[in-house]
Amino acid sequence: MVMETFGARLRTALDTRGPLCAGIDPHSSLLVEWGLDDDVAGLERFSYTVVEALADRVAVLKPQSAFFERFGSRGIAVLERTVADARSAGAVVIMDAKRGDIGSTVAAYADAYLDPASPLFSDALTASPYLGFGSLEPLYALAEKNGAGVFVLGLTSNPEGSQVQAAVGASGRSVAEEIVTAAAGRNAGAAPMGPIGVVVGGTVATPDFDLSRLNGAYLVPGIGAQGATAADVRRIFGAGARNVVPSSSREILRGGPSVAGLREAAARTVEELAAILD
């Protein structure tokens, strides 16, 4: 049975819980800041505390898979429980794994993250489309079948990103514009939003094409405490600003290790972001 669409679940979560995607990034320096050992026990304590504090009140939680993978199979087991517990508490979960490949390999990634039978099943997955937007077709197809989503990298804020993203192809359009155009094509006719989102940094240069046509969500690191302003949101997204999903990680996670501290940091961030996106 196909569940409610990803776009519908995300829209409801943002409208009822506020515009925030909180990252779960248990890197070694944050574990130390929390007074935890940089081991599986520390990973467990960190991740489960974040879920306890935020999963019943934040719209989106985004675990960064790499910080779990570094502990091997035991770290993946923690990631599985983190995702399951967060979804059970009502949060939309975006798995930040940035997968990208071709053929049977990308199909296997789809099975791992976008099949409800998988212990890593998430509401959405981040992916890299730089082997060609169409190379990720198995992700899109399984996401659509199972009411999940895919966020493809579009315009990232790292300096190296422009080497690929700003490159102009035979069509006369940049790679980034081609990605957004292709994603918009997959989202055509969906309501309230389609299943294919795009990652855009909140501090990128003003694009020379219209982002509002996506009919999907934009996952946007950098808004609010990280430096991007309301003017940046209007500058970058125009009429598409309502579909921005602002992402914050360290600013919130440094509110730990207490549950109360994390909740206070998240509530403050939601208030700031709501004012920006109003």
Side-chain angles (χ1 to χ4, degrees), residues 133 150-152 179-190 192-200 210-219 237 240 243:
F133 183 86
V150 179
F151 282 91
V152 296
I179 289 169
V180 172
T181 299
R186 292 297 299 239
N187 290 335
M193 291 187 289
I196 312 302
V198 177
V199 180
V200 175
D210 181 14
L211 290 175
S212 67
R213 66 191 183 200
L214 177 64
N215 189 31
Y218 285 103
L219 181 62
F237 297 99
N243 289 345

Side-chain angles (χ1 to χ4, degrees), residues 2 137 139-149 186 195-196:
V2 177
E137 177 60 32
L139 294 181
Y140 311 142
L142 200 59
E144 291 168 353
K145 176 183 176 182
N146 293 327
R186 292 297 299 239
I196 312 302

